[in-house]
Each structure stands twice: as C-alpha cells, then as structure tokens.
Amino acid sequence: MNQFDLIIIGAGPGGYEAAIHAGKLGKKVAVVDCREAGGTCLNRGCIPTKTLLHSSELYHEIQNGAAIGVTAETVRADLPAMFARKNEVTAKLRAGIEALFKSAKVDFLRGKGQIVGPNTVTVTNDEGVQTYTADAIIAATGSVPARPPIPGLDLEGVMTSDELLEGTDRLFDSLTIIGGGVIGVEFATFFTDLGCKVNVVEGLDRLLPNMDKELGQNLAMILKKRGVNIQTNAMVAKVEKTETGMAVHYTQKDKPGVVESEVVLCAIGRSPYWQGLFAAGIEPETERRRLKVDEHFRTSVPGVWAIGDVSSKVQLAHVATAQGIACVDEICGLAPSQDLSLVPGCIYCRPEIASVGLTEAEAKERGLNVKVAKSLMSANGRTVIVDGDRGFMKLVADAETGKLLGAHLMCERATDMISQLSVAIANGLTVDQLRLPIRPHPTFEEAMTDALADLKKKLG
C-alpha cells in the first residue's frame, strides 16, 4: 500500500520524533530520507561534536591532572580512535531510532523525496521511482553548512563542520575558524584541548553574538588564556593558499589583517535546505531562504507543513523536535503540549554555557523594568573542587512582579541545570518561589541560591 496518513520528508530530530509521535497516535506514517536516520544532529552535528568534546576534555584533564594530584605519563590523543568512537556512538543511536520506527509501525523509505503534486510524494533511489500519497506532508529537510560568497572558501584546505566531522588521521598543527558562534567555539575548544593552535575570526563585536553579552566576553577571556587568537569585528575578505597552508585575510576597523594556519574551518552558520523538495511548478512562499509557515506550521502549498531548520528562525535540534510533535498535534486536532516560545540554548565549550529567556539588553529593548543579579562560580565549593574555570550564573527578573524572565549560566553542568529555570519562566515563578527549595551542598547548583538571594535584595 502506498497510501499514508502522513509522509514526513527528512529523518532528523524533527522528522523522526514527529513520525514516532504520529505512529503512537495510530496514524499510518512514512519517513523519507536519502541519508541515515537521525539527520544532521545525530550524524554530522550535535552528537558527533559532543562525543569528540568529551574525549578532548578527558585528555585535557589528564594532561593537567598534576594540579589536583594526578600525574599520568605517556598520555596521547589518538585522533583516529576518537573519530572511531564518534562513529560507534552515532551508529548505536541510529539503530535506536530505527528500532523506534518499528515499534511505532513507521515505514522508513530510503531515497530522495519530492513533493510532486497535491498530497503526492515520489521517492527516488537505486531501484527507481515510487509514488506515494498522504493526507498530510511534513517537510523536515533541515539545513546545510553555509558557504558565503567569500573568495577562496572553495579551496582545498577549507572545510565545513560536515567535512571536518568525517574524520582526520592526524591533529592539525594550526586551524583558523571563521565564525565565533556555537559551532566555532565548540570546535575551538576541542582542538585547543588537543594542543592545536587555533585562530577565531568573528565579524561581529564578540563571540556568541546572539547570547548575553557577558557570556561571549567571558568565554573570549578564557579561550585567550588557553592560547586561542581571537579577532572580533573582523570581516573576512578572502582566503588564500600559501606555501605552508592557508591565509585568511580580514578587515578590522578599516585596517587589513591576516592569520595563517594549516587548514580553515568555515563555521559561519547553516542555510535551510530544500533543494529539489518541490517539483517544477510548485513554488512555496519563502522568507530569508526559509520555507514560510504560519503559526500552525502550514506552508503556502496546500497539504504541506514544515518544521525545523528548513523553516525555523531558531536552528536547534530540540526546537525541531518540539515543532515536529506540535505539528503532528495540529494535524491531528490536538492541543500543543509545549511552549514553543521558550527555547533554551546550550553550548558545550568549557565551562558549559546555557541560556533561556530574555537577556538584560532584550528586556530593556522591550521597555521592561528589570533587576539583574549574578553569582560568581569562583565562590562555589564544587567549582573549586574540580578546579573549574571562571564562570557565573546571571538571572533577570521583572522589577515589579519578581517573576524570572531570563537565566544565563556559564559553569560546569550548565546544560543540565537550565531546564529547571526554563520551567520556572514557563510557569511564571517568582524569585521568592525559586528560593523556597533547599539546594544540596556541595553542588554547582548552589550558586543559584546566591544569585537568587542577591536578586531578592535588589527587588526589595
């Protein structure tokens, strides 16, 4: 039977979670993808990167263990082994997704999916072309690394994150990263841990320009202390091949500059990918290269919805997942179960960074009267025990109501702690309510008690 209730094109975190959710609701579902289950996040993004970061962090800790009484000899970083383990992790999780497809009775159709007409999809693979119909179609084709029109970005020796994650048999002597966003700082952390000389060139005024200003500033100080050469307000003009490697030329405050390295990583961002998704004659409305959708995830093409990176302003795996589930609920006439306006962001540098809600600057731009408090991790017992880097917890609250509006953490385990603050903001909890629970000692979370106490004083 080639008739389905729902066909989803794209097996990334948005597509596969939507498919499993729909399957559990009793819908006959098919997922189409010409690549592996799990999409970019599992195979070329979140999971591989964090797996490598875990390896590099362990290597870094062993190398610097003498400070806490642990001395190890003949420790070396085996890069091929790290990438092999990365492949094992992704393969294990991929197998888990395909098992979930089976349990939810979801058909996984391998091939290139294309929307060719109303409620009609073709799937092209080595065996030919098959045609399928469905009551609803969800586009979840994700994104690809952006390559802006900078001369030299197509040279051998310039990579994107996709290409870098395929693996390398040796550690580079030096690396220049174009882009100081999430992808850039995570790779800067990984390669610096392993002893590679790293340059970061960022066009805006700081690292992590889309997050609270202090996060990017503090991270820059930490990375510089580790030997990373960081150039901000630096617009890349061209990339050239030299006798010894690559040269990245940039302009900074109207003055030319250049950094040289063995290889270059282009980490400027990601572009929505929907090339070939629609057959000739079907022209969806777009907005800044994204598929344009309404508040119900519907595109301008009847019967077609879109979720995740291909249509969303926020390109995060957990956003795609939440949108996928919400989209299925919309199609099935169910009420949404999550607040899609409150999105936590996590960065797995060292120390970790996690943020949710409004920054102080965003609150002021909206005309809100806010109070802000910050607790330094240098006074936190657990941070001192693990010899952690400088960090902080910063909280933003409404000055009139005392409700928490934003939280910005830079500390160990920040990515695991941010959800409790997301819950607080989603439920309109006040500083007084957040101060009620006793936080155990010694924990990183204890610093939150100090930040809340300071915030309480400022609120009066």
Side-chain angles (χ1 to χ4, degrees):
M1 291 289 291
N2 289 352
Q3 169 66 39
F4 293 91
D5 297 321
L6 173 65
I7 292 177
I8 300 169
I9 303 178
Y16 78 71
E17 291 281 10
I20 293 166
H21 182 54
K24 290 179 179 178
L25 291 174
K27 300 298 181 180
K28 182 174 173 54
V29 185
V31 176
V32 182
D33 205 308
C34 59
R35 302 184 75 172
E36 313 94 328
T40 293
C41 174
L42 175 53
N43 299 287
R44 297 169 295 281
C46 316
I47 298 299
T49 308
K50 280 54 174 180
T51 304
L52 292 173
L53 280 166
H54 177 67
S55 295
S56 72
E57 181 179 12
L58 182 58
Y59 174 77
H60 172 84
E61 288 182 351
I62 295 172
Q63 285 283 82
N64 295 274
I68 57 173
V70 178
T71 302
E73 298 179 358
T74 65
V75 178
R76 66 184 182 88
D78 186 338
L79 215 58
M82 289 183 185
F83 278 95
R85 180 174 184 272
K86 179 266 296 183
N87 292 338
E88 290 174 3
V89 170
T90 56
K92 182 176 182 179
L93 292 174
R94 247 191 338 261
I97 291 171
E98 294 187 22
L100 289 172
F101 281 163
K102 291 180 180 178
S103 65
K105 297 181 180 179
V106 172
D107 288 6
F108 187 18
L109 308 178
R110 297 181 184 273
K112 179 73 173 179
Q114 185 177 58
I115 299 167
V116 298
N119 307 103
T120 307
V121 171
T122 60
V123 178
T124 303
N125 53 34
D126 293 340
E127 297 177 358
V129 181
Q130 292 290 323
T131 301
Y132 301 88
T133 59
D135 297 332
I137 300 167
I138 297 178
T141 46
S143 62
V144 294
R147 278 188 183 267
I150 297 173
L153 280 189
D154 57 348
L155 291 172
E156 184 181 355
V158 180
M159 302 171 289
T160 65
S161 57
D162 280 8
E163 293 151 353
L164 184 54
L165 286 170
E166 288 177 2
T168 176
D169 59 356
R170 62 182 181 83
L171 181 65
F172 307 122
D173 293 328
S174 53
L175 167 71
T176 296
I177 301 173
I178 303 175
V182 176
I183 298 170
V185 300
E186 288 189 347
F187 276 112
T189 300
F190 173 74
F191 283 102
T192 302
D193 279 350
L194 300 182
C196 176
K197 173 61 180 175
V198 175
N199 307 303
V200 177
V201 181
E202 166 58 43
L204 297 180
D205 64 345
R206 64 185 188 274
L207 300 183
L208 307 177
N210 295 324
M211 302 188 83
D212 183 89
K213 190 173 184 178
E214 284 192 77
L215 295 173
Q217 291 174 334
N218 199 54
L219 179 61
M221 286 189 284
I222 291 172
L223 290 176
K224 286 178 180 179
K225 187 178 178 181
R226 296 176 190 163
V228 179
N229 172 32
I230 297 173
Q231 302 295 330
T232 55
N233 279 318
M235 298 301 296
V236 175
K238 63 180 178 179
V239 179
E240 290 184 329
K241 202 163 186 62
T242 68
E243 291 183 2
T244 57
M246 310 296 294
V248 175
H249 296 263
Y250 60 87
T251 301
Q252 189 178 51
K253 296 181 180 179
D254 297 323
K255 295 182 180 179
V258 61
V259 288
E260 297 189 20
S261 58
E262 182 181 350
V263 292
V264 174
L265 170 64
C266 180
I268 295 175
R270 299 184 65 85
S271 298
Y273 180 76
W274 50 279
Q275 182 179 353
L277 177 61
F278 295 92
I282 304 176
E283 298 181 359
E285 288 187 38
T286 61
E287 184 176 42
R288 294 187 177 182
R289 294 181 294 178
R290 300 186 299 267
L291 293 180
K292 187 176 181 180
V293 296
D294 64 13
E295 66 274 19
H296 303 292
F297 308 103
R298 291 177 298 208
T299 71
S300 61
V301 179
V304 179
W305 286 253
I307 59 166
D309 288 8
V310 74
S311 59
S312 177
K313 295 178 182 179
V314 183
Q315 295 181 325
L316 293 170
H318 46 279
V319 170
T321 293
Q323 289 182 348
I325 292 171
C327 184
V328 168
D329 287 340
E330 287 275 0
I331 291 171
C332 295
L334 303 175
S337 59
Q338 290 182 301
D339 180 356
L340 300 186
S341 66
L342 195 62
V343 179
C346 298
I347 306 175
Y348 295 79
C349 48
R350 197 177 61 256
E352 292 181 350
I353 292 174
S355 180
V356 68
L358 298 179
T359 65
E360 181 179 4
E362 289 170 340
K364 290 179 178 178
E365 286 174 5
R366 297 187 184 188
L368 299 174
N369 182 16
V370 297
K371 296 294 182 182
V372 180
K374 185 169 66 174
S375 173
L376 298 179
M377 298 305 293
S378 57
N380 174 258
R382 185 73 188 279
T383 300
V384 175
I385 289 169
V386 302
D387 195 25
D389 287 289
R390 57 178 288 159
F392 60 87
M393 291 189 180
K394 186 175 183 180
L395 304 178
V396 181
D398 186 286
E400 279 76 39
T401 65
K403 290 182 179 180
L404 188 69
L405 299 178
H408 313 280
L409 314 183
M410 187 173 189
C411 57
E412 280 74 15
R413 303 293 184 267
T415 60
D416 293 319
M417 289 188 280
I418 197 66
S419 289
Q420 63 174 288
L421 296 168
S422 300
V423 170
I425 297 172
N427 287 282
L429 298 187
T430 64
V431 171
D432 286 338
Q433 289 171 318
L434 286 168
R435 293 181 69 211
L436 287 175
I438 297 172
R439 293 176 176 86
H441 173 79
T443 61
F444 301 117
E445 185 186 10
E446 254 184 313
M448 204 177 300
T449 299
D450 297 332
L452 288 166
D454 186 29
L455 199 50
K456 174 62 177 177
K457 288 180 182 178
K458 293 181 177 180
L459 289 168

